[in-house]
Amino acid sequence: KSLKREHGSKWKFLEHKGPVFAPPYEPIPSNVKFFYDGKHMKLSPGAEEVATFFAKMLDHEYTTKDIFRKNFFKDWKKEMTAEERAKITDLKKCDFTEMSEYFKAQSEARKAMTKDEKLKIKAENERLLQEYGFCIMDNHRERIANFRIEPPGLFRGRGDHPKMGMLKRRIRPQDIIINCSKDSKHPEPPPGTKWKEVRHDNKVTWLVSWTENIQGSIKYIMLNPSSRIKGEKDWQKYETARRLKKCVDRIRTQYREDWKSKEMRIRQRAVALYFIDKLALRAGNEKEEGETADTVGCCSLRVEHIKLYPENEGLEYVVEFDFLGKDSIRYYNKVPVEKRVFKNLQLFMENKEPDDDLFDRLNTSVLNKHLQELMDGLTAKVFRTYNASITLQQQLKVLTSADENIPAKILSYNRANRAVAILCNHQRAPPKTFEKSMQNLQAKIDAKRDQLSDAKRELKSSKADAKVRRDEKSKKIEEQLMKLEVQATDREENKQIALGTSKLNYLDPRISVAWCKKWGIPVEKIYNKTQREKFAWAIDMADDDFEF
DNA sequence: GTACTGACTTGACTTTAAGTTT
DNA sequence: AAACTTAAAGTCAAGTCAGTAC
């Protein structure tokens, strides 16, 4: 039934210019020295380039981490000449400080460039964008998302990654697979080089691919979210979530029934699904141990990740979750659950070690196969999309009051958005400048308050003929003050919450567009330019009465 | 069922550009 | 016009999920 199976082809015509490669390595000046064991050493170009990657990271904490250093040193040695390898045997004896200083100076110099030089760079970037940043797909000129190939450097995974510090190698034309249509003008590899392959596969959407050397996974160049191909897929995603809305009651009834099943695998499936639905947890594929950071999702939860409290803070049957999820972001939550769920969890945990799987009879593939039977196109992540979007719609209804002005309404919108971000556990590190910027804002508010009381005093003491004008003036100031205060509240509430991810990936944009239309809020207040481009389909489509 | 691959979406963070203040 | 602040764009890692081979 899905679009894919009915007509597998994604395009008929595809033409593009291929990728933009990372700039070649520029050797550092000879007066910038590297020291080994206190003695100056001139490195071969290959070894020097990799050394500069480390030097550039010297200020980061991870260059002090054992795993990082060990991985780096191992890969660095591979790039050394035999003589270098014989000599450089201990990373601790390597002194990269001159290199590090050199790069800091370089970045300072870049900041201090004249306007003219900056303009030149900008023009060159624009030229590159115009030449390589677009493709032709089926009669449309479409923007490409990432037409530049990732430069070489040291891999830094998120969290406690066993491969941190490994060398991410330089991608060359012979690593590149080009995908385009037969009847298009094929992109030319740089002079004297060849592509790995040119293929014409219209069952996929990517233009360029290569295999990355850290995990051995494939990287792609694909189209921008504003493109037809991405937009249609996005729309389809929300339509699937809306279909879930129609049958979610039935599914909930069923999994509650399944908590009582005689079969362990069915009980586990039903409890896991309950978590995915209620807490918006991710599916949780199993991961290769030792290849990636130790993170989990619902199906891969281990006994050590939850604690059961028959009674906690006056509530019955409380489950405490504490685990690292995607990107090693901590998920911590204490939730009361139904008695049956609680009893099942006790059962699942019986006679298990902390590092045993909580759902030992379940994985994402089993779960998704089951979901597929409940509804066409249903998978675990559809619940996240559905619950996020329905929460936004419902929160907007609760929080928006007709008599408020635009800034207050936008605060309500952001609060609804925040409720979703909290549900989905979209956290961020508080911005480094957070305290400072709060203070600045507070200072502005104080100044505005003073200004207002001045204006009010003037109003009182003024004569009748000036009253109207001065009244208007203080009204205006009052409005400005209110706006600042709303801004401060919003910023404070948003300290550790990231709204972007849910806005871009989970919230059906038609809900937001409809809300804007209903309350006479310009869409620009909610979506910036890029977002409006991405959601153009929704802006065109949704009326003020759109219901998710 | 299990292991593995490929394609595509999601995610936090960093860098750059734009806007505002001094 | 420099300095600072904030918003947007870019980066690239890490998920999801379907398909294939055994």
Side-chain angles (χ1 to χ4, degrees):
Chain A
K1 186 96 170 291
S2 75
L3 265 171
K4 205 175 154 196
R5 255 170 291 162
E6 269 170 39
H7 19 212
S9 79
K10 308 284 176 67
W11 45 262
K12 289 202 184 72
F13 181 81
L14 174 60
E15 180 170 287
H16 59 92
K17 286 295 199 68
V20 171
F21 288 94
Y25 175 61
E26 274 186 47
I28 52 173
S30 54
N31 63 326
V32 179
K33 295 182 193 125
F34 166 75
F35 298 95
Y36 185 71
D37 207 7
K39 288 186 281 291
H40 171 220
M41 201 176 154
K42 174 73 187 163
L43 296 172
S44 64
E48 185 190 87
E49 179 178 10
V50 178
T52 63
F53 298 152
F54 194 83
K56 281 177 184 167
M57 297 174 126
L58 225 47
D59 288 341
H60 281 107
E61 200 223 339
Y62 39 78
T63 56
T64 65
K65 291 195 174 174
D66 263 6
I67 302 174
F68 188 96
R69 297 174 66 89
K70 201 183 112 258
N71 287 333
F72 162 73
F73 199 48
K74 188 174 164 209
D75 281 0
W76 188 26
K77 279 199 273 191
K78 290 182 206 156
E79 303 301 312
M80 293 178 188
T81 62
E83 300 90 276
E84 286 168 336
R85 203 158 28 239
K87 209 162 168 192
I88 302 175
T89 55
D90 185 359
L91 182 57
K92 282 205 288 294
K93 292 182 179 165
C94 295
D95 180 356
F96 302 95
T97 44
E98 280 200 13
M99 288 183 179
S100 171
E101 294 303 322
Y102 170 72
F103 291 119
K104 277 184 216 160
Q106 290 262 295
S107 89
E108 283 310 308
R110 223 171 309 127
K111 272 185 218 156
M113 277 187 312
T114 64
K115 218 187 217 165
D116 222 40
E117 292 170 305
K118 283 183 185 166
L119 230 57
K120 234 181 192 166
I121 292 174
K122 202 177 162 185
E124 172 60 12
N125 279 335
E126 181 59 27
R127 191 190 65 75
L128 229 54
L129 173 67
Q130 288 306 323
E131 179 164 6
Y132 294 95
F134 293 85
C135 72
I136 307 289
M137 186 179 272
D138 296 343
N139 304 319
H140 284 286
R141 184 168 182 257
E142 304 258 41
R143 181 83 190 267
I144 298 168
N146 54 324
F147 58 91
R148 287 167 199 273
I149 289 197
E150 297 170 17
L154 301 184
F155 176 81
R156 170 60 185 142
R158 323 263 164 92
D160 230 338
H161 198 115
K163 297 195 171 183
M164 64 168 83
M166 281 175 60
L167 175 63
K168 205 169 97 166
R169 66 168 225 294
R170 179 178 291 276
I171 305 302
R172 307 152 301 173
Q174 66 260 39
D175 302 316
I176 295 290
I177 302 174
I178 298 287
N179 192 33
C180 61
S181 59
K182 255 182 209 154
D183 57 349
S184 74
K185 207 173 136 219
H186 299 7
E188 288 293 330
T193 67
K194 281 187 173 156
W195 302 125
K196 180 178 180 181
E197 184 190 337
V198 176
R199 66 171 77 156
H200 311 291
D201 180 0
N202 73 354
K203 302 285 183 287
V204 296
T205 67
W206 54 267
L207 320 185
V208 172
S209 78
W210 69 92
T211 301
E212 155 272 342
N213 69 302
I214 304 289
Q215 323 273 357
S217 63
I218 308 170
K219 298 253 183 172
Y220 303 93
I221 292 183
M222 291 184 187
L223 295 194
N224 199 67
S226 62
S227 59
R228 185 219 92 217
I229 210 155
K230 294 288 185 187
E232 278 179 0
K233 196 81 190 300
D234 208 31
W235 176 35
Q236 200 185 267
K237 172 180 80 183
Y238 291 113
E239 288 306 301
T240 305
R242 291 175 84 198
R243 280 194 288 120
L244 173 57
K245 184 191 179 189
K246 289 190 199 138
C247 64
V248 73
D249 289 337
R250 189 193 90 218
I251 289 171
R252 285 173 176 159
T253 307
Q254 163 147 32
Y255 69 59
R256 300 168 67 89
E257 268 312 299
D258 287 347
W259 293 341
K260 298 182 260 180
S261 170
K262 319 183 272 305
E263 277 189 81
M264 183 58 110
R265 58 173 194 99
I266 291 178
R267 288 189 181 216
Q268 291 195 356
R269 196 179 68 192
V271 171
L273 186 50
Y274 169 73
F275 285 162
I276 284 171
D277 183 20
K278 183 184 173 75
L279 304 173
L281 299 189
R282 295 187 186 84
N285 284 305
E286 51 268 68
K287 305 170 73 186
E288 235 180 313
E289 212 179 324
E291 297 291 300
T292 54
D294 177 20
T295 62
V296 298
C298 186
C299 294
S300 51
L301 280 170
R302 298 191 297 261
V303 169
E304 60 195 326
H305 295 130
I306 65 167
K307 270 191 190 152
L308 304 181
Y309 301 94
E311 192 260 298
N312 183 277
E313 291 163 9
L315 296 167
E316 279 187 313
Y317 308 121
V318 172
V319 184
E320 181 184 52
F321 292 83
D322 193 352
F323 62 88
L324 298 182
K326 181 176 177 181
D327 293 325
S328 291
I329 296 292
R330 186 178 180 205
Y331 182 93
Y332 180 83
N333 202 359
K334 257 184 187 175
V335 276
V337 300
E338 317 225 0
K339 181 175 178 182
R340 269 215 174 81
V341 170
F342 195 85
K343 295 288 170 193
N344 270 314
L345 288 170
Q346 285 178 323
L347 180 68
F348 303 161
M349 290 164 81
E350 249 171 42
N351 302 317
K352 280 189 191 168
E353 297 296 316
D355 63 347
D356 286 338
D357 286 340
L358 176 64
F359 302 117
D360 53 300
R361 305 287 173 85
L362 183 72
N363 62 41
T364 54
S365 141
V366 167
L367 177 65
N368 280 332
K369 276 200 190 98
H370 171 64
L371 293 176
Q372 194 59 242
E373 283 165 12
L374 298 181
M375 185 194 102
D376 181 47
L378 187 62
T379 64
K381 90 186 179 92
V382 178
F383 281 88
R384 238 166 115 79
T385 311
Y386 161 71
N387 280 122
S389 287
I390 202 77
T391 301
L392 178 76
Q393 183 169 83
Q394 167 227 325
Q395 284 296 298
L396 283 176
K397 222 168 256 171
V398 174
L399 297 173
T400 314
S401 38
D403 53 341
E404 283 178 329
N405 60 13
I406 290 187
K409 284 209 179 77
I410 288 169
L411 176 63
S412 298
Y413 179 89
N414 288 341
R415 282 178 164 161
N417 194 163
R418 241 174 335 261
V420 174
I422 289 166
L423 175 71
C424 295
N425 199 41
H426 292 143
Q427 303 187 27
R428 64 167 182 178
K432 283 181 185 67
T433 54
F434 185 82
E435 295 307 329
K436 177 119 184 302
S437 90
M438 264 339 268
Q439 276 171 18
N440 290 348
L441 194 52
Q442 193 53 51
K444 272 191 190 173
I445 290 171
D446 293 345
K448 195 54 78 181
R449 285 222 174 95
D450 291 347
Q451 202 187 339
L452 182 63
S453 49
D454 285 353
K456 285 207 165 144
R457 201 171 322 112
E458 274 179 44
L459 173 63
K460 235 182 208 169
S461 61
S462 64
K463 299 199 180 95
D465 60 333
K467 279 228 159 144
V468 176
R469 191 170 43 82
R470 291 212 161 133
D471 188 49
E472 263 168 35
K473 189 181 163 193
S474 59
K475 276 237 176 71
K476 206 175 111 197
I477 295 169
E478 211 158 331
E479 201 174 290
Q480 290 169 336
L481 174 62
M482 194 262 177
K483 214 173 147 181
L484 286 170
E485 282 171 334
V486 161
Q487 203 186 341
T489 309
D490 200 22
R491 195 178 293 181
E492 185 65 56
E493 290 177 0
N494 223 33
K495 184 174 181 179
Q496 305 200 66
I497 317 276
L499 300 186
T501 301
S502 49
K503 205 177 204 178
L504 251 35
N505 300 302
Y506 289 103
L507 301 175
D508 187 331
R510 290 169 295 183
I511 299 169
S512 299
V513 172
W515 180 85
C516 284
K517 288 191 174 155
K518 178 168 180 192
W519 299 109
I521 314 270
V523 208
E524 300 81 63
K525 300 270 183 189
I526 298 298
Y527 292 137
N528 67 32
K529 185 164 134 303
T530 335
Q531 294 168 160
R532 291 197 301 279
E533 282 165 9
K534 166 166 175 159
F535 296 135
W537 60 271
I539 295 170
D540 283 348
M541 184 188 293
D543 290 322
D544 62 348
D545 61 349
F546 173 82
E547 270 254 16
F548 175 77

